[in-house]
Structures are given as C-alpha cells and as structure tokens.
Amino acid sequence: ANRLLSKEISEISMVDNTTAATADALKHLASVADFKYHKMSTDDVLTSMKTNSTTGLTTGEGKSRLEAHGENALDAEEAESLWEKIKEQFEDLLAQILLFAAMISLVIAITGDGEEGIAAYVEPFVILLILALNALVAIYQDMDAESALEALKNMQAHECQVLRDGKFQTMDAKLLV
C-alpha cells in the first residue's frame, strides 16, 4: 500500500505552487503509518517521542529538536502578482486551444472567407469573452482562497504551554517541538 501511495504521489501533476508544496510534504512521509499517534495510548506516544509526562523535554533537548526539525510554522509563500495570476490562467492547454481557435476565427473574419459583416466577428468575440470571464472567476476564487488561508493563519495560537525541565512555561508556538 505504501508503494502504491508513493507511486501515486510521484505521478501528481504540479498544477500550481500549492499542489507542488503539498506533494513535496507528502513525499517526505515514510508511509501513511506515520500518522498513528491518535490511535496510541498516552504512554505509548510519550515513549515514542522519548519524553515523559512529569518532566517533559529538557531545554537542551527542545533546542536540539528545534534545530533538527525547524520551527512549527508554515513556510511563507511568495506573493503572486496579479499579472502572474492572469498569465497562469492562460497556461492551460484548453485555454491555449481556445485562444488559437479564436485567432483562426478572427483571421477568417478579417479575410472575408466566412460570413459577411459584423456577424463574422461574433464567434471570436464570444470565445475571447468566455476565456476572459473564466480567468476573472478563477482569479477571484484564488484570491478568496488566499484570504481565507491568511485568516486561518491569523487564528493560530501565538503562544503555547510546554513542560520543560519539569516546569510549565509559556513560549512562542513557533518554537514548539
């Protein structure tokens, strides 16, 4: 099952940065069995994490785990400009085919080989209008999703309670290991 999962993950087509980041995160998992802690008893979890419930981690162990695994925070993504978002909408193969069809239809309308008058320009105009509306809707949805993700990030706790050296302490949640 793990081999099938690895194969499926490696075959994911990288549509955008979010998909690529998700696929990269999934590739780092040794197997689906890594997500077993919710099924384990408290004592088993503490044993597997090499800690205990009376003293917690030592300050030194906490620092070494932080250095080894990094901060408990999502990586900041580079903001995408509006132009990049527009360009991304027309990188799709279907959009490119439709653009090509609109150009051919426009050339036929200009050369006069098809219908006469303004009716010849209706087809390329409709194709371009549909492509533009599709891009506008996709960009709006993308921006809406980004604002929802930002709102979720703002709702995250900034501080947490940890047990270090047998004492409960408040620390920055990014430093939690």
Side-chain angles (χ1 to χ4, degrees), residues 89 131-144:
Q89 296 308 311
L131 283 171
L133 288 174
N134 181 55
L136 286 173
V137 169
I139 291 168
Y140 172 77
Q141 288 178 334
D142 189 43
M143 293 173 78
D144 194 38

Side-chain angles (χ1 to χ4, degrees), residues 109-149:
I110 291 172
T111 59
D113 292 342
E115 300 174 15
E116 294 296 322
I118 199 159
Y121 296 95
V122 170
E123 186 177 308
F125 175 75
V126 169
I127 294 172
L128 292 174
L129 180 66
I130 290 170
L131 283 171
L133 288 174
N134 181 55
L136 286 173
V137 169
I139 291 168
Y140 172 77
Q141 288 178 334
D142 189 43
M143 293 173 78
D144 194 38
E146 286 177 4
S147 67
L149 183 60

Side-chain angles (χ1 to χ4, degrees), residues 18 74 77 143-155:
T18 305
L74 296 173
E77 293 183 20
M143 293 173 78
D144 194 38
E146 286 177 4
S147 67
L149 183 60
E150 191 63 34
L152 286 174
K153 285 180 184 178
N154 291 336
M155 290 173 55

Side-chain angles (χ1 to χ4, degrees), residues 26-155:
L26 289 174
K27 285 179 184 177
H28 290 294
L29 296 175
S31 68
V32 176
D34 288 342
F35 292 111
K36 61 184 178 238
Y37 299 106
H38 65 286
K39 296 179 182 178
M40 297 169 63
S41 70
T42 305
D43 291 334
D44 291 341
V45 172
L46 291 171
T47 302
S48 69
M49 293 291 170
K50 299 178 183 154
T51 187
N52 63 60
S53 61
T54 56
T55 60
L57 294 176
T58 63
T59 304
E61 178 65 20
K63 286 180 182 178
S64 67
R65 289 186 186 191
L66 182 63
E67 289 174 9
H69 302 292
E71 288 187 345
N72 181 29
L74 296 173
D75 293 334
E77 293 183 20
E78 188 177 314
E80 200 174 27
S81 72
L82 182 60
W83 175 249
E84 289 171 330
K85 289 180 184 186
I86 293 170
K87 182 180 150 209
E88 184 180 305
Q89 296 308 311
F90 295 99
E91 290 175 350
D92 181 53
L93 180 62
L94 183 59
Q96 291 175 353
I97 290 170
L98 287 171
L99 278 172
F100 184 69
M103 283 193 217
I104 290 174
S105 183
L106 187 62
V107 167
I108 291 172
I110 291 172
T111 59
D113 292 342
E115 300 174 15
E116 294 296 322
I118 199 159
Y121 296 95
V122 170
E123 186 177 308
F125 175 75
V126 169
I127 294 172
L128 292 174
L129 180 66
I130 290 170
L131 283 171
L133 288 174
N134 181 55
L136 286 173
V137 169
I139 291 168
Y140 172 77
Q141 288 178 334
D142 189 43
M143 293 173 78
D144 194 38
E146 286 177 4
S147 67
L149 183 60
E150 191 63 34
L152 286 174
K153 285 180 184 178
N154 291 336
M155 290 173 55

